[in-house]
Amino acid sequence: MKDEKTEPVHKQVLQSGTAWNGQAYDAYPVGKPQITVMRMSLPAHSELPWHTHPMPNTAYLLSGELTIEDKASGATHSVKAGEAINETLDSAHRGYTRDQPAELVIFYAGVEGQPLSVPLPGEASEF
């Protein structure tokens, strides 16, 4: 057999200073940094409650498809497995699935004591 060397493969999935809707990330929150990584599974035909995030965060889709919807404008953006999306800051939105479930990993760049998600009044907590 031939001795084959393998090399790491690098693929940049996302690099941006803005959210999916063009909202600029002006600064990170002030305080002691705390990075949080969460894995989330959403069944088909499900939706998250309306919520906001007080810090920059990025979701990477492991499988399925997820649509993000902006409450104020009604604008939507869909991501599929292998894609990433930067979420908005302090702007009400929700994610939902259609015919297939979605599995995602979310990276939050916050500070100690800061909530990852803030539900809108009358809405359930995202997690």
Side-chain angles (χ1 to χ4, degrees):
M1 282 188 79
K2 185 177 177 182
D3 182 25
E4 294 184 29
K5 292 185 178 183
T6 59
E7 297 292 324
V9 175
H10 304 277
K11 179 183 176 189
Q12 183 170 298
V13 178
L14 176 66
Q15 182 178 49
S16 177
T18 63
W20 67 270
N21 65 355
Q23 178 192 36
Y25 290 153
D26 295 325
Y28 287 106
V30 176
K32 184 174 182 201
Q34 185 172 47
I35 303 296
T36 303
V37 179
M38 179 176 297
R39 188 168 179 154
M40 181 182 286
S41 299
L42 297 169
H45 304 287
S46 66
E47 61 186 41
L48 294 169
W50 293 106
H51 62 278
T52 64
H53 298 288
M55 82 282 287
N57 70 89
T58 300
Y60 177 80
L61 268 284
L62 298 170
S63 64
E65 183 175 349
L66 179 70
T67 300
I68 305 296
E69 179 181 14
D70 181 79
K71 186 168 177 64
S73 69
T76 62
H77 182 80
S78 294
V79 288
K80 297 178 182 172
E83 297 177 339
I85 183 170
N86 286 343
E87 294 196 59
T88 56
L89 285 170
D90 300 318
S91 176
H93 64 281
R94 66 177 175 182
Y96 62 86
T97 59
R98 293 189 173 130
D99 293 335
Q100 55 184 313
E103 183 85 16
L104 56 150
V105 175
I106 311 166
F107 305 85
Y108 298 91
V111 296
E112 281 187 352
Q114 187 176 40
L116 302 176
S117 176
V118 179
L120 264 55
E123 293 283 329
S125 179
E126 182 180 14
F127 32 74

